[in-house]
Amino acid sequence: MTSITQSTSSSSELQEFLARPQKILIDGLWTDASSGETFDIFNPATGDVIAKVPRGNNDDIDRAVDAARRAFDTSNWTRWRPNKREELLWRISERISELAHEFAELESLDNGKPVGIAAAFDVRASADCFRYYAGWPSKIQGSVNNPSMLLAPEEAEFHSFTRHEPVGVCGQIIPWNFPLLMAAWKIAPALATGNTVVLKPAEQTPTTALLLGQVLVDAGVPAGVVNIVTGYGDIGAAISEHPGVDKVAFTGSTEVGKKIVAASSGNLKKVSLELGGKSPNIVFEDADIDSAVAGVLQGFTLNSGQACEAGTRVFVHESIYDDFNNALADQVRALTVGPGNDPASDITPLVSQEQLDRVVGYLEAGKEAGAVALVGGNRHGDSGYFVEPTVFTDTTEDMSIVQEEIFGPVAVSIPFSDDSEVIDAANRSHYGLAAGLWTKDLSRAHRVANRLNAGSVWVNTFHALDSALPFGGYHQSGWGRELGAESIELYTQVKSVTMAI
Ligand code: NAP
Ligand code: MG
């Protein structure tokens, strides 16, 4: 059984964890993949192998779904009292905080992101997510309704009420950009509402999900309630089409989101999707320019641009366009590109060779199409998966760098002349995840926020994510909203009960 039980932290402990044979979690037991196969996990800063994890296959998914089904149908998990569920979620949150250092180091090693950011954001936000959902079980309420019952005799009386019940076995498929946090966003509301889970982490970054699995077991999550199977996309597909799965929750590319929708049709499982984005970040002429430059910079460089909500289409009013671009370019040049374990690094490596190739492909396509790299535009160095943070100007709307999600530290800067023009341009996207706007004019802020087609609009700030705020997208950025009360809705279904009395 894989176990990190010490709360004291050191790199050597982490090395010890990584040196152990990793296992998958099925029915409360840590096991090998049924094939016995494993696959390598790489350090993005060096390309070195840091761990081997089991390569789960369809048989493992069948075993995991069976375990989740049994836990849902035959254990008393769904009938746990709310306060017991709250205590469990709270213990998980506390344990993540105790292991914050291990989680942050491991996340950085696996994904490449700065250890400091992993600690300050990813791990804290994951603990916060469990803490937030620890507050929910006792507040989930139905209603008492007043039906007219048209066919019943006048003197008949009825009592009707609603219950919010768990959906059942939930397949959860998550990406590599915020590996621990995405596991938390999925698992915490599912447990708060009494579902059972089969989680598939991304093939690039499965290690923190396995460490989280240990936390869940230690905290007292019953056998079969959360199962974690590592592997490739084929097992994501197996979860999506599995007749024993009642709901799939997915975060990742729009392309795979569409495959999941198609695969889920066999048993019409419920589907929630958090997909890609190409978010606009709009700087009006009356904005506080220093804050706007800092916010735009953070908007497209956080997590080296590997964030679905990244503000990668920067619209700047024509009257300040050149000055703004020059100030932004100066800030970009001041960024340090380096590994996640160096506190000086601002831009850390992309997650994989594949992602490096994809992002460099976009940089080349942008230059070939005639866009000008005001700053950056190339791979950084020749080892590890680093790219230069890049701002393009002189773009046209048909260019792939303007239309498509790049998932690297790359923005395009586009001038505009008035509010309605920029609202239309910002909305001309098949995505609609987030949008930022920078202005001191309160009326303009409200008007523009109302008109932007995006699930989250941020005024004079960016990346404003919080456990209490719903998150998700318009258009092809997804279905449904995660976090806040909305995730409670995603993981429950409503039953009305009517009694003739
Ligand atoms: P992806 O393929 O969408 O991967 C996300 C998750 O889906 C992973 O766990 C993946 O498994 C799994 N998966 C792959 N094929 C599947 C299938 N047919 N059915 C069910 N699950 C499947 O994303 P990616 O290839 O890693 O990245 C490609 C692009 O997606 C990025 O460049 C970026 O534009 C976008 N992306 C968006 C987000 C986001 O937060 N919205 C996150 C990551 C990537 P494997 O890991 O084994 O492939
Ligand atoms: Mg993939």
Side-chain angles (χ1 to χ4, degrees):
M1 182 157 143
T2 309
S3 169
I4 282 199
T5 47
Q6 304 294 312
S7 61
T8 53
S9 52
S10 77
S11 295
S12 64
E13 260 180 350
L14 197 58
Q15 295 309 327
E16 211 180 289
F17 169 76
L18 289 167
R20 276 179 227 157
Q22 300 297 323
K23 309 273 186 188
I24 54 181
L25 178 63
I26 297 179
D27 210 6
L29 298 172
W30 292 99
T31 73
D32 293 321
S34 54
S35 67
E37 285 179 43
T38 61
F39 63 101
D40 293 336
I41 304 301
F42 300 93
N43 176 349
T46 60
D48 295 341
V49 174
I50 56 165
K52 287 181 184 302
V53 303
R55 180 176 175 184
N57 62 17
N58 289 13
D59 292 340
D60 299 308
I61 294 301
D62 284 344
R63 287 198 289 150
V65 172
D66 284 351
R69 186 84 265 159
R70 270 196 310 280
F72 189 82
D73 288 345
T74 62
S75 82
N76 66 349
W77 165 246
T78 57
R79 291 182 299 280
W80 270 33
R81 298 249 165 100
N83 61 350
K84 190 172 169 187
R85 217 178 276 295
E86 289 174 345
E87 285 166 5
L88 174 69
L89 285 156
W90 190 270
R91 276 198 300 279
I92 296 167
S93 163
E94 295 277 280
R95 189 69 181 134
I96 294 171
S97 300
E98 283 166 19
L99 290 175
H101 195 88
E102 281 87 347
F103 271 118
E105 273 194 57
L106 189 55
E107 197 73 312
S108 168
L109 199 59
D110 197 354
N111 163 281
K113 67 180 66 195
V115 180
I117 299 273
F121 179 64
D122 298 70
V123 179
R124 278 179 70 211
S126 301
D128 188 72
C129 183
F130 279 98
R131 193 179 311 114
Y132 173 81
Y133 283 105
W136 264 103
S138 57
K139 287 93 189 167
I140 299 170
Q141 295 178 340
S143 53
V144 176
N145 308 63
N146 283 316
S148 299
M149 294 298 176
L150 300 181
L151 294 179
E154 281 275 304
E155 64 279 13
E157 287 185 47
F158 296 89
H159 174 54
S160 291
F161 61 95
T162 60
R163 289 169 49 79
H164 293 247
E165 298 184 345
V167 177
V169 175
C170 300
Q172 303 185 323
I173 303 168
I174 57 171
W176 42 258
N177 52 343
F178 294 93
L180 177 66
L181 186 60
M182 291 303 101
W185 283 20
K186 298 279 183 286
I187 294 173
L191 296 185
T193 45
N195 294 276
T196 61
V197 167
V198 177
L199 178 84
K200 181 217 151 344
E203 69 190 50
Q204 296 87 350
T205 55
T207 59
T208 46
L210 296 176
L211 183 52
L212 178 63
Q214 187 57 51
V215 167
L216 300 177
V217 171
D218 292 347
V221 172
V225 167
V226 177
N227 306 274
I228 303 175
V229 185
T230 51
Y232 294 139
D234 59 331
I235 60 168
I239 291 171
S240 316
E241 65 193 24
H242 204 292
V245 172
D246 300 301
K247 167 183 169 58
V248 176
F250 171 73
T251 299
S253 61
T254 294
E255 181 195 352
V256 171
K258 289 178 183 177
K259 288 186 189 167
I260 288 173
V261 169
S264 66
S265 67
N267 68 340
L268 287 180
K269 50 177 70 66
K270 313 279 183 278
V271 179
S272 54
L273 304 170
E274 201 267 276
L275 308 175
K278 189 77 181 175
S279 299
N281 207 353
I282 305 168
V283 184
F284 291 97
E285 69 283 2
D286 66 340
D288 176 318
I289 297 301
D290 289 346
S291 324
V293 168
V296 164
L297 182 76
Q298 189 224 23
F300 80 92
T301 59
L302 182 83
N303 217 35
S304 299
Q306 301 165 118
C308 45
E309 76 280 7
T312 49
R313 287 186 299 143
V314 180
F315 293 93
V316 184
H317 191 266
E318 58 189 8
S319 65
I320 56 166
Y321 186 66
D322 291 337
D323 289 347
F324 183 90
N325 281 346
N326 290 336
L328 180 62
D330 285 345
Q331 297 278 320
V332 171
R333 283 187 205 100
L335 296 175
T336 302
V337 181
N341 63 2
D342 181 346
S345 303
D346 301 301
I347 300 290
T348 50
L350 301 176
V351 74
S352 63
Q353 180 69 47
E354 189 187 4
Q355 195 61 18
L356 175 66
D357 295 343
R358 191 179 283 145
V359 173
V360 170
Y362 276 111
L363 296 175
E364 294 308 321
K367 289 185 280 188
E368 266 164 42
V372 174
L374 180 65
V375 53
N378 299 293
R379 182 180 180 183
H380 172 94
D382 51 16
S383 67
Y385 314 136
F386 297 93
V387 288
E388 296 172 349
T390 299
V391 179
F392 279 112
T393 60
D394 298 84
T395 57
T396 52
E397 210 170 281
D398 57 336
M399 290 181 187
S400 61
I401 55 169
V402 177
Q403 294 286 329
E404 295 171 25
E405 179 170 57
I406 298 176
F407 240 57
V410 183
V412 295
S413 179
I414 300 167
F416 70 90
S417 54
D418 67 51
D419 291 21
S420 62
E421 177 201 334
V422 75
I423 291 165
D424 288 347
N427 284 341
R428 272 198 301 277
S429 170
H430 57 261
Y431 292 119
L433 193 56
L437 65 103
W438 301 80
T439 178
K440 290 186 194 135
D441 179 337
L442 192 59
S443 302
R444 171 187 260 166
H446 276 290
R447 262 196 331 267
V448 177
N450 288 351
R451 285 171 202 164
L452 289 171
N453 296 333
S456 300
V457 177
W458 298 315
V459 180
N460 297 331
T461 186
F462 207 85
H463 292 301
L465 300 172
D466 191 275
S467 304
L469 295 173
F471 184 72
Y474 282 41
H475 305 310
Q476 294 188 32
S477 287
W479 284 357
R481 298 289 181 272
E482 291 188 306
L483 300 180
E486 279 73 9
S487 255
I488 298 294
E489 279 178 32
L490 285 185
Y491 286 96
T492 50
Q493 50 193 342
V494 184
K495 174 186 283 174
S496 79
V497 181
T498 297
M499 303 174 184
I501 56 174

